[in-house]
Amino acid sequence: MHRPPPDDFSLKETNPHLGGGKISGDKLTSTYDLVEQMQYLYVRVVKAKDLPGKDVTGSCDPYVEVKLGNYKGTTPHFEKKSNPEWNRVFAFSKERIQSSVLEVTVRDKDLVKDDFIGRVLFDMNEIPKRVPPDSPLAPQWYRLEDRHGVKVKGELMLAVWMGTQADEAFPDAWHSDAAAVSGADGLANMRSKVYLSPKLWYLRVNVIEAQDLQPTDKGRYPEVFVKAILGNQALRTRISPSRSINPLWNEDLMFVASEPFDEPLILSVEDRIAPNKEEVLGRCAIPLQYVDRRLDYKLVNTRWFNLEKHVIIEGEKKKDIKFASRIHMRICLEGGYHVLDESTHYSSDLRPTAKQLWKNGIGVLEVGILNAQGLMPMKTKDGRGTTDAYCVAKFGQKWVRTRTIIDSFNPKWNEQYTWEVFDPCTVITIGVFDNCHLHGGDKGGGAKDSRIGKVRIRLSTLETDRVYTHSYPLLVLHPNGVKKMGEIHLAVRFTCSSLLNMMHMYSQPLLPKMHYIHPLTVSQLDSLRHQATQIVSMRLSRAEPPLRKEVVEFMLDVGSHMWSMRRSKANFFRIMGVLSGLIAVGKWFDQICNWKNPITTVLIHILFIILVMYPELILPTIFLYLFLIGVWYYRWRSRHPPHMDTRLSHADSAHPDELDEEFDTFPTSRPTDIVRMRYDRLRSIAGRIQTVVGDLATQGERLQSLLSWRDPRATALFVIFCLIAAIVLYVTPFQVVALLTGFYMLRHPRFRHKLPAVPLNFFRRLPARTDCML
């Protein structure tokens, strides 16, 4: 497989003109100081009055056309209205302006040919500039003229000015870049927007007992369980061990609920009358608006709920209210936990659900999304490759989406966003996507926005008050290997409001205290995280314009827990990388013991004698040594944020079949022979892992068996050795013992045997529990 040169995937430092000037260490005063300024001509079309009738009926269906060179934007038309109000803003990029005259024309919508009513012309040199924080420009009335410059009946209210993307009118304006996009849906899908994640709660349902159940068959012991449904989450208790009409469970069921609480919790008590056949003995619906909320683990009051039984009379469901069974439960919304909806490695928010428990912010994160270079063509249109790119950034509960830049492999966004930071050990994720919903072609809902790549930046790796301007490679793993999809250019600044507060955060637990005092199980957290991501993606995909499911799932790393050969290898080599330091120290010590470099060994002897004679120097020497290493490494500290490393991920060296396996669906969709081959390979690798884990367990069990009398002779020898050692250490000064031990360890190779040492031989002969395994 052809490998691209490694520098192709590296981070590049840049030096753009931000906020109108070259970036330096100083903070700039402009509100948009992390992006390059882009000039726009803005035209706000407010309303018209006294428009003349052009139809046979004497009425008028007016709309306005704003034309600048080749670019033309139009407002919607009004039926039979001579005083219409549009209040629309048009923005023309100064880079693309080729005309010296702006033409604003009022026309009458007609079936055959639209009639000309009148126009207003502006000379481009006469248009005023507006720089925020100046107030918006007040619109004025202009008399309409005909094509010869003669004033005609009718007036148009307009405001025309030159501004930048910092203008308030920018996000909702019609852009000349989008001139090719048709339809209101397409335009809505292009605009920049800010979204908020729904507020998520854990819902704890403690099912205690039920009373007076009425099974149909009175002659058998009922096998009763409770089924609880919230939205698309369904959980059930075990079958009650007390097989009676008053069953007991005392079992907790956990759900994820989101505000506003539209759906009630639906509980049904069911009796298993045969395998795969249940009878509903009663059900009840509980609206979550009235459920108790708690911030800690104080018990909330239990309540009895009546169960309604539905009987079918003449094909219709009717409530049976002759006699009501009851169910006893404790239900509460947990405000003290943080609802995990992201991969725990890349969390951008760690606050508890309840706002009362939030700490003050420690700073502000500002991100300027400048541009992208060299994007790949993501789809074909009119026989050629094209890309309509936009960015999505997620941090905390706030998601932002830039506007879509049409048909460009080098889009320029120059949009700046701000987030409040509550914890420095969090990660911002920025993804780039191709918009597939612009031209109204997605009526069936089958099209999906394609992933171009993403960047993650951990805030704790950034120095405060410094502006980082880097070009990040957008790397995506495809079934045929890792591929660079282009580069994204970002400016990032993390400003800290109180250094003391931030330093204090390092002593605090990462998650809210409820996670440690009353932890949830790993399997519970896994299923709850899955539910939380489903709720977030469903809610954001229903926003207007939608932030689509595939975008949200890519940003939240849904599916990253799936097994993959490549990831397993990468994690194994990461562990080896961590252990390599210890192994290197071991090798270095072995070389000293074997007198590979006599001068170093003699120096170690001298240091060793000093430390033994003055044992109080041991700890200070260790800490001083660590201090010196830390100061030495300062020279090689990283000058840029970390980024995706293809070598660490084993993405550049993965075998094609391993990648094919990683991209396979779950359950598999591959033919039987391939699945068999992969299963055999998995078994062989799992066998090796099993052996390593078994070996580690064996060493631990041998340590335990020193004193467990599993091998009576070995334990007797060890106990006698401990007694003798205790007597010798009481009698002999510690320095003498330490010196003798050290000199023995550092003895010359001439006095060494090739065979393993006696303690090692003794340890290897100790029994482990492997004999008891089947």
Side-chain angles (χ1 to χ4, degrees):
M1 196 169 83
H2 172 68
R3 285 193 198 174
D7 61 347
D8 202 16
F9 294 155
S10 64
L11 202 66
K12 299 178 184 68
E13 192 154 2
T14 59
N15 207 354
H17 286 256
L18 299 187
K22 210 165 210 187
I23 193 67
S24 63
D26 313 328
K27 274 182 82 170
L28 294 150
T29 51
S30 146
T31 47
Y32 262 48
D33 61 337
L34 287 185
V35 289
E36 295 179 345
Q37 275 198 358
M38 297 169 83
Q39 298 289 326
Y40 283 89
L41 166 68
Y42 289 100
V43 182
R44 183 185 291 281
V45 179
V46 184
K47 55 186 173 182
K49 67 179 181 187
D50 303 334
L51 296 178
K54 287 281 176 184
D55 295 348
V56 184
T57 56
S59 62
C60 166
D61 307 331
Y63 70 92
V64 175
E65 179 183 280
V66 182
K67 193 175 179 193
L68 185 63
N70 299 330
Y71 294 105
K72 183 171 75 177
T74 55
T75 67
H77 76 281
F78 284 100
E79 296 281 340
K80 300 183 173 47
K81 204 166 186 185
S82 57
N83 298 325
E85 275 196 39
W86 293 283
N87 211 3
R88 291 291 172 104
V89 181
F90 297 85
F92 296 89
S93 168
K94 193 181 175 187
E95 279 184 0
R96 301 192 182 184
I97 293 176
Q98 293 154 352
S99 171
S100 59
V101 177
L102 168 70
E103 190 178 335
V104 183
T105 310
V106 184
R107 295 184 185 275
D108 176 24
K109 186 83 174 163
D110 219 338
L111 286 171
V112 187
K113 187 174 187 292
D114 297 347
D115 295 321
F116 173 89
I117 296 175
R119 69 180 182 185
V120 184
L121 298 177
F122 294 90
D123 184 345
M124 290 296 291
N125 300 322
E126 303 292 318
I127 289 171
K129 273 195 166 62
R130 182 209 162 204
V131 182
D134 285 1
S135 296
L137 206 65
Q140 298 177 36
W141 286 107
Y142 292 89
R143 276 288 296 276
L144 297 177
E145 302 172 351
D146 65 10
R147 290 198 170 92
H148 307 295
V150 178
K151 301 279 186 231
V152 294
K153 190 187 174 195
E155 288 184 79
L156 186 59
M157 187 183 255
L158 295 171
V160 180
W161 72 97
M162 291 296 299
T164 65
Q165 76 270 40
D167 206 293
E168 301 89 80
F170 180 78
D172 294 319
W174 171 95
H175 285 274
S176 55
D177 304 345
V181 176
S182 56
D185 285 356
L187 285 170
N189 263 312
M190 287 199 51
R191 294 197 172 126
S192 52
K193 282 282 179 281
V194 174
Y195 303 83
L196 288 175
S197 283
K199 189 175 183 184
L200 301 175
W201 295 78
Y202 284 143
L203 173 71
R204 189 186 293 270
V205 182
N206 177 220
V207 183
I208 303 168
E209 60 182 327
Q211 261 183 11
D212 303 330
L213 298 178
Q214 300 264 298
T216 318
D217 180 3
K218 301 279 193 294
R220 57 180 276 282
Y221 291 117
E223 297 183 21
V224 186
F225 63 90
V226 176
K227 191 171 171 184
I229 297 172
L230 180 67
N232 58 359
Q233 307 167 67
L235 294 174
R236 54 195 282 176
T237 65
R238 66 188 189 283
I239 287 172
S240 170
S242 57
R243 300 198 170 184
S244 68
I245 58 164
N246 298 322
L248 266 167
W249 293 280
N250 203 9
E251 197 171 328
D252 270 1
L253 304 176
M254 294 286 285
F255 296 91
V256 179
S258 67
E259 288 185 20
F261 302 119
D262 299 329
E263 294 166 322
L265 172 72
I266 294 167
L267 286 143
S268 59
V269 180
E270 302 187 12
D271 177 15
R272 183 190 287 167
I273 46 180
N276 301 323
K277 192 178 178 192
E278 286 94 21
E279 178 195 16
V280 178
L281 301 181
R283 58 173 42 150
C284 65
I286 301 158
L288 299 186
Q289 290 89 321
Y290 311 115
V291 167
D292 292 325
R293 301 176 181 200
R294 66 176 182 186
L295 309 181
D296 48 28
Y297 217 69
K298 283 187 186 136
L299 287 180
V300 298
N301 294 331
T302 62
R303 283 178 61 194
W304 286 95
F305 295 90
N306 286 341
L307 294 168
E308 294 164 352
K309 190 169 183 182
H310 292 279
V311 288
I312 294 173
I313 302 167
E314 296 164 13
E316 280 187 39
K317 267 193 178 182
K318 298 266 174 77
K319 282 180 190 170
D320 181 5
I321 46 172
K322 286 182 298 191
F323 183 80
S325 311
R326 300 192 304 162
I327 186 165
H328 191 197
M329 290 189 296
R330 180 183 280 116
I331 302 180
C332 65
L333 288 160
E334 299 277 11
Y337 291 92
H338 167 69
V339 180
L340 295 157
D341 61 338
E342 303 167 284
S343 170
T344 39
H345 305 300
Y346 313 121
S347 281
S348 66
D349 188 14
L350 302 161
R351 291 170 295 169
T353 300
K355 267 195 168 169
Q356 301 94 302
L357 300 176
W358 288 7
K359 305 247 184 356
N360 291 333
I362 54 156
V364 169
L365 170 68
E366 296 162 281
V367 177
I369 300 172
L370 300 165
N371 54 52
Q373 289 109 19
L375 296 183
M376 292 285 174
M378 299 302 291
K379 55 180 179 269
T380 51
K381 186 180 150 206
D382 304 331
R384 62 184 185 85
T386 177
T387 298
D388 305 325
Y390 67 93
C391 296
V392 174
K394 192 243 187 243
F395 186 77
Q397 292 177 337
K398 177 173 155 187
W399 298 67
V400 301
R401 169 187 179 149
T402 67
R403 67 194 192 287
T404 302
I405 306 292
I406 303 285
D407 194 10
S408 171
F409 299 136
N410 300 304
K412 288 185 179 176
W413 293 287
N414 284 309
E415 294 181 30
Q416 184 169 338
Y417 296 96
T418 306
W419 286 268
E420 192 176 1
V421 178
F422 294 88
D423 194 315
C425 302
T426 43
V427 177
I428 180 170
T429 306
I430 297 143
V432 187
F433 300 89
D434 174 46
N435 198 332
C436 296
H437 297 83
L438 293 181
H439 303 286
D442 178 36
K443 292 290 179 259
K448 286 188 173 182
D449 289 356
S450 320
R451 313 162 170 187
I452 297 178
K454 72 179 159 196
V455 173
R456 291 193 204 95
I457 300 169
R458 187 172 290 276
L459 269 57
S460 58
T461 61
L462 305 176
E463 292 171 26
T464 48
D465 295 326
R466 179 182 156 189
V467 177
Y468 289 84
T469 51
H470 288 90
S471 203
Y472 297 77
L474 294 167
L475 304 175
V476 172
L477 194 67
H478 287 291
N480 51 0
V482 72
K483 194 173 177 185
K484 182 176 170 184
M485 307 296 284
E487 293 183 1
I488 183 172
H489 192 187
L490 301 174
V492 181
R493 177 171 56 215
F494 173 33
T495 314
C496 169
S497 51
S498 160
L499 189 63
L500 206 64
N501 274 359
M502 183 149 86
M503 292 307 193
H504 175 62
M505 284 303 294
Y506 279 90
S507 69
Q508 298 297 301
L510 202 59
L511 289 164
K513 64 180 183 184
M514 283 288 283
H515 285 268
Y516 306 99
I517 300 168
H518 296 283
L520 302 168
T521 65
V522 173
S523 60
Q524 257 182 334
L525 282 172
D526 259 4
S527 67
L528 290 170
R529 181 185 162 228
H530 174 71
Q531 293 302 337
T533 53
Q534 294 292 315
I535 290 170
V536 171
S537 69
M538 195 172 72
R539 191 67 67 83
L540 291 176
S541 66
R542 280 169 45 201
E544 197 55 56
L547 200 58
R548 298 183 184 279
K549 189 172 189 278
E550 62 272 15
V551 172
V552 176
E553 290 188 347
F554 182 57
M555 296 291 285
L556 292 178
D557 278 295
V558 172
S560 61
H561 61 281
M562 291 292 284
W563 186 85
S564 111
M565 180 77 81
R566 175 189 63 81
R567 245 186 239 119
S568 303
K569 267 190 202 168
N571 286 335
F572 172 74
F573 285 110
R574 279 172 61 203
I575 292 170
M576 293 308 294
V578 170
L579 295 177
S580 65
L582 291 172
I583 294 164
V585 169
K587 282 181 179 171
W588 171 79
F589 187 69
D590 190 53
Q591 285 177 350
I592 282 164
C593 292
N594 284 308
W595 292 68
K596 287 278 192 294
N597 186 338
I599 297 164
T600 313
T601 307
V602 169
L603 288 172
I604 291 291
H605 272 83
I606 294 165
L607 176 68
F608 172 66
I609 291 166
I610 293 167
L611 291 178
V612 169
M613 301 316 280
Y614 305 101
E616 64 274 10
L617 293 179
I618 292 173
L619 278 175
T621 306
I622 290 169
F623 284 115
L624 181 68
Y625 182 61
L626 292 174
F627 166 77
L628 291 172
I629 290 175
V631 170
W632 180 254
Y633 278 163
Y634 181 74
R635 291 167 55 194
W636 291 289
R637 72 192 186 282
S638 181
R639 301 297 165 94
H640 55 72
H643 68 290
M644 311 277 183
D645 187 342
T646 51
R647 193 161 289 165
L648 180 73
S649 318
H650 278 255
D652 54 348
S653 59
H655 190 275
D657 183 65
E658 290 173 10
L659 289 173
D660 182 64
E661 181 178 24
E662 190 168 333
F663 283 91
D664 189 5
T665 54
F666 184 83
T668 182
S669 56
R670 299 292 184 263
T672 325
D673 52 339
I674 289 179
V675 175
R676 180 179 291 155
M677 180 272 289
R678 285 177 183 165
Y679 176 59
D680 290 342
R681 180 176 65 193
L682 187 59
R683 282 176 68 188
S684 75
I685 288 163
R688 275 183 257 163
I689 293 169
Q690 182 180 295
T691 307
V692 171
V693 172
D695 285 348
L696 286 171
T698 299
Q699 306 312 327
E701 286 166 0
R702 280 176 179 162
L703 270 175
Q704 286 177 332
S705 65
L706 279 171
L707 294 170
S708 71
W709 297 91
R710 285 283 309 283
D711 180 338
R713 281 160 295 280
T715 303
L717 280 170
F718 182 67
V719 168
I720 292 162
F721 168 76
C722 289
L723 177 67
I724 294 166
I727 293 166
V728 168
L729 289 170
Y730 271 123
V731 176
T732 321
F734 174 74
Q735 281 98 331
V736 175
V737 176
L739 272 176
L740 291 173
T741 310
F743 284 145
Y744 177 75
M745 297 286 288
L746 296 167
R747 69 194 185 282
H748 199 274
R750 191 176 294 165
F751 307 113
R752 289 176 184 276
H753 287 292
K754 296 282 185 214
L755 296 174
V758 172
L760 202 60
N761 294 334
F762 178 75
F763 185 73
R764 282 181 181 160
R765 288 171 172 276
L766 290 169
R769 303 189 66 190
T770 42
D771 315 337
C772 308
M773 287 186 66
L774 284 171

